[in-house]
Amino acid sequence: EGPAVSIQNFDMEAYNAALESGYSDFEASLTLGGDDRSLIKTDVRTNKYHIKPVPIESTSVFRGSCTGNPPTQRGYDAAMELFAKLEGLEGKDLCSAVQAVYDDHRSRLSALLNLPEGTEVVLCPSGSDAEYIPIAIARALKGDDVHITNGITQLSEIGAGSAPAAVGKYFSTHVPLVGRLSGEREVLSGFENLGGITVSARDNEGNVVDAA
């Protein structure tokens, strides 16, 4: 019996690793569409953040980060319900259904934050990925021929991928819609001619650094 939803070739590595680790078709699908942080390591049956695509035990201590949070039972059930609605959809029908989910998320976030009408809400999978947004905006405003310099502060206290992402580089061995990167790919298409600086806010012992 094949997967309940169509699996793209670039997602097969992640999908097969999850199945090999003993997870269900649905649980394997929860690991797709991301980078190396979502991949299940077959020797330990978790991703690199020690998270499994199953609900955390009710007696366990919930520990997460901005990048990785173990599923709660409520979140797991909600994802399964959505998975069932998307099952069998393809092409434009699938795109429309997923777009409706994102539109709903943006609308609810906007209402919760009481944002002014017309404010755009940009969804990002992690802080490192979010670094692409300002340089994408700058590139759109200034064109391809202008050199752009971007800066990162507090480098040791944010995501490890933030510095390369801030100058348009890949920060993972795997990326969405591509899968595993080939060795020669370093900069995202359209993000050439970028430079950057990093400013450390603290030294290795936690003392504040005067960056002036």
Side-chain angles (χ1 to χ4, degrees), residues 14-19 23-32 40 53:
Y15 182 75
N16 288 332
L19 290 184
Y23 295 111
S24 69
D25 177 61
F26 162 66
E27 292 160 353
S29 295
L30 294 178
T31 71
L32 307 184
I40 297 298

Side-chain angles (χ1 to χ4, degrees), residues 108-192:
R108 291 162 63 190
L109 284 170
S110 182
L112 284 169
L113 297 173
N114 196 26
L115 298 178
E117 185 176 352
T119 302
E120 293 290 343
V121 176
V122 180
L123 304 175
C124 294
S126 75
S128 295
D129 295 277
E131 295 295 340
Y132 294 130
I133 304 303
I135 55 177
I137 294 172
R139 179 62 77 213
L141 293 174
K142 295 298 183 180
D144 295 335
D145 298 329
V146 175
H147 179 78
I148 296 172
T149 299
N150 194 20
I152 288 291
T153 60
Q154 204 106 339
L155 179 61
S156 62
E157 299 181 20
I158 57 177
S162 296
V167 291
K169 294 182 178 180
Y170 292 107
F171 60 86
S172 174
T173 57
H174 296 68
V175 295
L177 306 180
V178 174
R180 182 180 291 273
L181 286 173
S182 56
E184 68 275 8
R185 299 184 68 169
E186 183 178 7
V187 178
L188 279 73
S189 177
F191 283 171
E192 300 82 3

Side-chain angles (χ1 to χ4, degrees), residues 26-45:
F26 162 66
E27 292 160 353
S29 295
L30 294 178
T31 71
L32 307 184
D35 51 43
D36 72 295
R37 296 170 292 184
S38 300
L39 293 173
I40 297 298
K41 297 183 176 183
T42 55
D43 55 336
V44 293
R45 299 184 65 245

Side-chain angles (χ1 to χ4, degrees), residues 51-79:
I51 294 173
K52 301 177 180 180
V54 294
I56 187 172
E57 297 288 341
S58 59
T59 55
S60 297
V61 176
F62 186 94
R63 180 180 180 275
S65 70
C66 60
T67 298
N69 289 280
T72 61
Q73 187 65 57
R74 179 184 178 189
Y76 182 92
D77 292 343

